[in-house]
């Protein structure tokens, strides 16, 4: 594949450094009032929303590993910024409400964390603007061990197609984007459970998305695409 015709990048936002994580954790303590009026979204808003959701997944994974309820609140607020368009199937498991439930269990009797959770739960979501427009499409599937789940989308000419597959954490998940004829356009086989592919196709057309469970147990996978 010539990169001058089809440009593909596999990767994801980096897990925040310690200094950056401390900075964003300070956001969790700030009052969470109604969101101010936002400027018109740029053409890549849905792709940007996917990147933010993957970053939230990574922050949440760090929070669980370190039993840090404040970090879970940061991840929840990142997800709360993004509207999504869920499709038929299982309910999404990476949502702000799910992370708030986790943070509440982790907080125990900590009054400060519980107060922040209450503020987030009682936000006026219906009147808040979103920088990401309608948001990405969300598909949730249960993928058996060693199974590949595939489906096809129609990429728009000269626009970014970004796809992420966020597993529930039990097993390694890979992601492959192919031509209808089988040629690989982009792949992410990192040893984790949130692969990302970004693709720009000048000619547009059908793209097959394949989500691969490399592990020995089944996994729920939350698939995001713009």
């Amino acid at each position: 594949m010539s990169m001058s015709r089809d440009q593909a990048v596999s990767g994801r936002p980096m897990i925040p450094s310690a200094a950056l994580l401390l900075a964003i954790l300070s956001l969790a303590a700030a009052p969470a009032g109604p969101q101010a009026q936002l400027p018109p979204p740029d053409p890549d808003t849905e792709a940007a929303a996917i990147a933010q959701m993957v970053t939230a997944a990574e922050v949440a994974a760090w929070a669980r590993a370190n039993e840090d309820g404040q970090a879970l609140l940061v991840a929840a607020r990142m997800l709360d910024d993004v509207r999504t368009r869920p499709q038929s199937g299982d309910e999404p498991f990476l949502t702000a409400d799910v992370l708030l439930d986790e943070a509440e269990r982790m907080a125990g009797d900590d009054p400060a964390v519980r107060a922040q959770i209450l503020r987030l739960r009682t936000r006026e979501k219906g009147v808040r603007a979103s920088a990401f427009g309608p948001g990405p499409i969300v598909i949730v599937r249960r993928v058996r061990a060693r199974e590949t789940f595939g489906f096809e989308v129609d990429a728009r000419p000269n626009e970014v197609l970004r796809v992420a597959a966020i597993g529930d954490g039990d097993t390694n998940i890979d992601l492959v984007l192919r031509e209808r004829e089988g040629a690989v356009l982009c792949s992410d086989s990192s040893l984790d459970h949130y692969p990302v592919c970004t693709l720009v196709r000048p000619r547009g057309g059908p793209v097959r998305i394949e989500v691969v469970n490399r592990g020995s147990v089944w996994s729920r996978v939350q698939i995001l695409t713009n």
Side-chain angles (χ1 to χ4, degrees), residues 152-173:
E152 195 171 277
V153 298
D154 194 32
R156 295 183 290 269
N158 296 309
E159 291 190 16
V160 171
L161 172 65
R162 179 165 292 151
V163 183
I166 301 173
D168 61 16
D170 290 335
T171 186
N172 178 29
I173 301 295

Side-chain angles (χ1 to χ4, degrees), residues 120-138:
L120 285 170
R121 288 197 191 281
T122 56
R123 293 177 78 172
E124 294 292 334
K125 293 180 171 57
V127 300
R128 292 170 56 242
S130 172
F132 300 113
I137 293 170
V138 177

Side-chain angles (χ1 to χ4, degrees), residues 19-89:
L20 178 58
L21 188 57
L22 286 173
I24 62 178
L25 284 177
S26 67
L27 296 174
Q35 187 168 306
Q37 182 66 37
L38 294 166
D42 63 66
D44 193 27
T45 53
E46 290 175 354
I50 292 171
Q52 179 156 318
M53 293 180 73
V54 173
T55 302
E58 293 186 291
V59 173
W62 184 94
R64 294 182 190 109
N66 292 274
E67 298 187 357
D68 191 320
Q70 292 280 4
L72 273 178
L73 294 183
V74 171
R77 290 183 65 177
M78 293 174 74
L79 293 175
D80 194 47
D81 282 343
V82 180
R83 297 176 182 173
T84 59
R85 292 173 284 160
Q87 306 299 296
S88 59

Side-chain angles (χ1 to χ4, degrees), residues 63-218:
R64 294 182 190 109
N66 292 274
E67 298 187 357
D68 191 320
Q70 292 280 4
L72 273 178
L73 294 183
V74 171
R77 290 183 65 177
M78 293 174 74
L79 293 175
D80 194 47
D81 282 343
V82 180
R83 297 176 182 173
T84 59
R85 292 173 284 160
Q87 306 299 296
S88 59
D90 288 0
E91 288 293 315
F93 56 87
L94 180 68
T95 68
D97 287 338
V98 169
L99 293 188
L100 289 177
D101 288 342
E102 284 191 60
E104 192 166 27
R105 291 192 295 269
M106 193 177 292
D109 296 327
D110 188 326
V113 175
R114 287 190 170 275
Q116 293 167 46
I117 292 170
L118 180 61
R119 283 199 297 269
L120 285 170
R121 288 197 191 281
T122 56
R123 293 177 78 172
E124 294 292 334
K125 293 180 171 57
V127 300
R128 292 170 56 242
S130 172
F132 300 113
I137 293 170
V138 177
I139 303 168
V140 181
R141 289 290 184 273
R142 299 187 178 211
V143 185
R144 294 191 299 269
R146 313 296 182 188
E147 181 185 34
T148 296
F149 169 70
F151 62 101
E152 195 171 277
V153 298
D154 194 32
R156 295 183 290 269
N158 296 309
E159 291 190 16
V160 171
L161 172 65
R162 179 165 292 151
V163 183
I166 301 173
D168 61 16
D170 290 335
T171 186
N172 178 29
I173 301 295
D174 288 353
L175 181 64
V176 183
L177 272 55
R178 298 182 185 272
E179 296 269 15
R180 177 175 282 174
E181 296 78 15
V184 174
L185 299 170
C186 178
S187 66
D188 185 346
S189 56
S190 304
L191 298 176
D192 58 31
H193 60 276
Y194 22 69
V196 181
C197 269
T198 302
L199 177 68
V200 179
R201 307 192 72 211
R203 63 187 181 279
V207 173
R208 180 170 174 78
I209 297 171
E210 296 180 352
V211 178
V212 187
N213 182 349
R214 298 292 186 192
S216 58
V217 297
W218 71 273

